[in-house]
Amino acid sequence: MTDSPLLVSTADGVTTLTMNRPDSLNSLNVALKEALLEAVRAAAADPQCRAVVLAGSGRAFCVGQDLREHVEVLTGGSDSPLDTVSQHYNPLAEALATLPKPVVAAVRGSAAGAGASLALLADFRVGGPSTSLLMAFAGVGLAGDTGVSWSLPRIVGTAKATELLFLAEPVAADEALRLGLLTRVVDADDEVLDAAHALARRLAAGPTVAYGAIKLELLVGASGTLAEALAGEAEAQRQCGLTTDHVDAVTAFVAKRPRVFQGR
């Protein structure tokens, strides 16, 4: 296997981004963070990419910040040892959350700290029996980052988000499914990636522009006013109404023939 911290592959309209530091449970060092940001931005701009799978190599999804690298920063005399939040984590969270294509996280094994935050920014999260999510930040004396203060309350509510962040206790797969932290749980860990790819292929065959518009609608609707939500919906429908996918789908429906989406 290559020494690259991130593996990128594309098939059937699905771009797979695999964090590739299995010996450190895919902990996030600078090289991996920079590679992830570049790859997410490239996927957003690639017309051949119609869905994204985010995965980890080995037995974990991602355990968050590489603490060995972080210790070097802490002991190196920096007066801003958490600059990585503004330099790396914030841009990565924004790029992932606003990616105008569906994102499926294949959460096999542990997702902790910023790794859990990355998973929560996906549109769908597939787990297995050994999957667990841990909001680990307070356990090392930190607040949350990588968008978790935004994503976690949207999924579980403010009270539960407070509990998960303060107590920093792992959430097992079945409970994560009940809370909405996972979208689905498959029977075996070695089925997680295949199930994530199957879902991503289904999404890649769908109306890509409409999916991107729905994601934007939900971003506005969750935090904006009713007027802002309605204005966003009107603009989204204006754009979608001009797509080939919309015209062809309506024509196919009237003609009683299968719909085929081209993603444009």
Side-chain angles (χ1 to χ4, degrees):
M1 183 175 286
T2 177
D3 291 333
S4 172
L6 183 72
L7 306 179
V8 182
S9 61
T10 300
D12 301 320
V14 177
T15 296
T16 302
L17 309 179
T18 305
M19 294 174 280
N20 186 41
R21 303 188 69 224
D23 292 342
S24 69
L25 302 181
N26 300 312
S27 62
L28 294 156
N29 63 0
V30 169
L32 179 51
K33 286 180 275 192
E34 290 179 342
L36 267 174
L37 178 58
E38 180 181 354
V40 171
R41 287 174 171 169
D46 181 4
Q48 302 306 309
C49 169
R50 294 175 61 181
V52 171
V53 169
L54 180 62
S57 59
R59 58 191 177 90
F61 176 74
C62 174
V63 296
Q65 172 65 37
D66 184 332
L67 294 182
R68 290 184 176 86
E69 182 183 76
H70 188 53
V71 164
E72 296 178 6
V73 177
L74 290 174
T75 59
S78 172
D79 58 358
S80 300
L82 269 297
D83 272 357
T84 189
V85 174
S86 58
Q87 292 178 2
H88 303 113
Y89 287 126
N90 284 358
L92 178 55
E94 184 173 9
L96 197 56
T98 60
L99 186 69
K101 298 161 188 183
V103 180
V104 181
V107 190
R108 182 172 54 191
S110 177
S117 299
L118 289 176
L120 296 182
L121 291 168
D123 302 300
F124 302 89
R125 292 165 294 281
V126 179
S130 73
T131 297
S132 67
L133 290 95
L134 172 63
M135 307 307 142
F137 306 99
V140 290
L142 289 175
D145 61 37
T146 319
V148 73
S149 64
W150 175 83
S151 62
L152 187 59
R154 286 163 58 94
I155 296 170
V156 302
T158 301
K160 193 65 178 182
T162 302
E163 176 188 337
L164 295 176
L165 286 164
F166 272 54
L167 299 184
E169 296 174 344
V171 182
D174 288 347
E175 177 68 0
L177 179 64
R178 187 185 72 81
L179 292 173
L181 297 170
L182 292 176
T183 309
R184 61 182 61 170
V185 175
V186 295
D187 292 334
D189 292 324
D190 60 8
E191 296 174 2
V192 171
L193 187 58
D194 287 345
H197 274 128
L199 176 56
R201 287 193 296 271
R202 172 183 171 180
L203 293 164
T208 309
V209 177
Y211 288 154
I214 290 169
K215 291 180 69 167
L216 184 58
E217 284 182 337
L218 293 174
L219 287 174
V220 174
S223 58
T225 64
L226 174 60
E228 289 169 337
L230 294 174
E233 290 175 359
E235 176 59 19
Q237 294 294 53
R238 184 193 69 80
Q239 294 178 9
C240 290
L242 298 173
T243 63
T244 299
D245 280 346
H246 172 63
V247 175
D248 287 354
V250 172
T251 304
F253 178 84
V254 172
K256 294 182 171 52
R257 57 179 172 78
R259 291 162 292 177
V260 178
F261 295 108
Q262 301 178 54
R264 54 186 175 85

